[in-house]
Amino acid sequence: MNFRISHSTQYSYSEPVSLCRNEASLLIRDTPWQRCLRSELQIEPSPSDVRHRLDMFGNRVSHFAIQQPHNKLTVAAVSEVSVCSNPNILVSANEYSWEVTKARLKSERTSETLDALPFLYDSPFAQRSVQLEAYAQTSFLPDRPLGEAVFDLMQRIYHEFKYDPGFTTISTPLSKVLSDRRGVCQDFAHLGVACLRSMGLAARYVSGYIETLPPAGQERLVGADASHAWFSVYVAGVGWVDFDPTNNKLLSDQHITVAWGRDFADVSPLRGVALGGGKHKVSVSVDVARQPDSPVCLPN
C-alpha cells in the first residue's frame, strides 16, 4: 500500500519570537515492513540552521533554528511511503511461551537481545507498577504463548477502556488512566508498554499514522486525520511484533511507522524553546492519502 502523508503544525504567537530552536521527529524511517520513498521538512520562516541525525533507536531526528523575528511558525513534513503487512507474524510470536522470552532476555547476549534491553526498564511515561502487573496477569497465564497473551492484553485494553480525547494530557499518570479506564491512543500505548514491562518483557512505544476511511458514500476530509501511537513487544528469535490497542488490531498495511522509543518523550513530533512570543496557539493538520500502488522493493 502506498501513501502520501502531510503533517503540518502551526504556532501563532501574540508577540514576536526573536529566536527559537526546535527538534522534530517527523521524518519517516525504513522498517522491515515499510520503505520511505520521500520524507522532507518544509519550515516557514526559513531556518538559519538545519541538521539531521539518527538517534540511538535509529529514528530520523531534525534540529533547526530560526533567528529572525516571527509571529508564526509552520513546520510541515511531507512523506511518501510504501507499506506491507506480515499475516503470519502472530504465528511466529506464538512459537514460545511468554516465560521463555522473559528468560531469554535475561540470559542471551545476541545483538537483537542487547538492542531490546533498554525497553525492559522504566521510562518517564511508562513505569512498571504492582497495579499494572496485576492487570496484565489476567492475560499472561502460565505457559501461554507470548503472541496470544499480548493479543489478549490488547483486546482487553480495547474493550475495557473508553477513547476519550478530553480526559488526559501528556502529564496524566498511568495510574489514573488505569483507574478511570479512559484515555487516547497515546495513553493506551503507554499502558500496553508498562504492562509488558511489569511482566518482565521488553516493550516499546511506536509513533506514526493510520489510514482512516470515510463512511460509505462520503468523501474523505483532507487534513482531518491525526497522528497515532501503538506498542510493540520483543519476541525472542522473531523480533518486534506490533499491537494497536486503540483499534484492536495487529500492525497492518494501513499503519505508517514514523519512530519508536521507550515512550512518547523519545519520539515527540515537535518540541523546542522560544525567546519571546507571549501567548501562543497551536493547530495541527494531518492527511494520510492512499496513492496508486506501484511495485516497490521493500526491505527484508
Side-chain angles (χ1 to χ4, degrees):
M1 199 79 72
N2 291 348
F3 297 96
R4 185 179 190 274
I5 303 103
S6 299
H7 184 155
S8 178
T9 304
Q10 185 176 94
Y11 292 85
S12 299
Y13 303 99
S14 61
E15 300 175 8
V17 171
S18 58
L19 169 68
C20 71
R21 299 195 67 90
N22 301 275
E23 179 182 279
S25 294
L26 291 166
L27 299 181
I28 292 176
R29 64 179 296 158
D30 286 334
T31 77
W33 52 88
Q34 75 176 25
R35 170 66 58 85
C36 179
L37 308 176
R38 179 174 73 98
S39 195
E40 61 185 29
L41 289 181
Q42 299 172 355
I43 306 168
E44 182 63 35
S46 180
S48 58
D49 181 35
V50 180
R51 301 183 183 184
H52 304 286
R53 65 178 176 88
L54 296 181
D55 69 8
M56 63 181 294
F57 306 119
N59 302 312
R60 301 169 64 185
V61 181
S62 306
H63 299 266
F64 63 91
I66 299 175
Q67 297 179 330
Q68 56 180 295
H70 56 280
N71 289 86
K72 184 182 296 184
L73 169 64
T74 302
V75 181
V78 180
S79 307
E80 295 176 0
V81 62
S82 184
V83 186
C84 64
S85 61
N86 183 355
N88 298 316
I89 190 66
L90 193 60
V91 175
S92 301
N94 281 328
E95 185 174 354
Y96 301 107
S97 70
W98 66 272
E99 293 100 331
V100 169
T101 285
K102 179 178 178 179
R104 291 176 66 173
L105 279 166
K106 292 181 178 180
S107 61
E108 287 187 354
R109 288 300 176 263
T110 63
S111 60
E112 292 80 8
T113 303
L114 290 173
D115 286 344
L117 292 183
F119 301 98
L120 269 172
Y121 305 106
D122 290 344
S123 55
F125 297 122
Q127 299 187 11
R128 296 165 292 177
S129 73
V130 173
Q131 293 77 16
L132 290 168
E133 181 181 4
Y135 181 79
Q137 280 178 334
T138 300
S139 299
F140 287 82
L141 302 175
D143 298 321
R144 193 173 194 181
L146 176 57
E148 182 181 308
V150 182
F151 192 86
D152 185 71
L153 175 65
M154 174 190 71
Q155 289 188 310
R156 289 174 54 218
I157 294 174
Y158 174 77
H159 289 293
E160 297 174 10
F161 289 74
K162 181 179 179 180
Y163 187 87
D164 187 349
F167 180 72
T168 58
T169 67
I170 185 59
S171 62
T172 302
L174 274 181
S175 58
K176 185 168 181 60
V177 175
L178 182 64
S179 63
D180 289 56
R181 298 293 203 266
R182 291 174 179 268
V184 294
C185 61
Q186 178 178 281
D187 302 305
F188 302 154
H190 282 147
L191 179 65
V193 167
C195 281
L196 291 168
R197 291 178 184 167
S198 296
M199 297 302 299
L201 297 166
R204 65 190 185 190
Y205 177 99
V206 187
S207 69
Y209 311 99
I210 185 171
E211 180 191 28
T212 56
L213 300 176
Q218 296 186 24
E219 295 184 1
R220 61 181 299 273
L221 300 176
V222 176
D225 294 315
S227 56
H228 192 43
W230 56 92
F231 67 83
S232 59
V233 63
Y234 176 74
V235 182
V238 175
W240 293 90
V241 182
D242 293 56
F243 297 81
D244 180 354
T246 305
N247 295 291
N248 196 28
K249 62 193 302 183
L250 296 171
L251 195 75
S252 71
D253 58 5
Q254 292 177 285
H255 287 83
I256 299 101
T257 300
V258 175
W260 55 62
R262 293 162 298 183
D263 59 28
F264 175 82
D266 287 331
V267 296
S268 175
L270 187 62
R271 58 186 168 190
V273 294
L275 183 61
K279 297 181 179 179
H280 70 273
K281 295 182 179 179
V282 183
S283 61
V284 179
S285 173
V286 176
D287 186 59
V288 179
R290 187 180 299 193
Q291 303 294 293
D293 285 337
S294 58
V296 173
C297 180
L298 289 167
N300 294 324

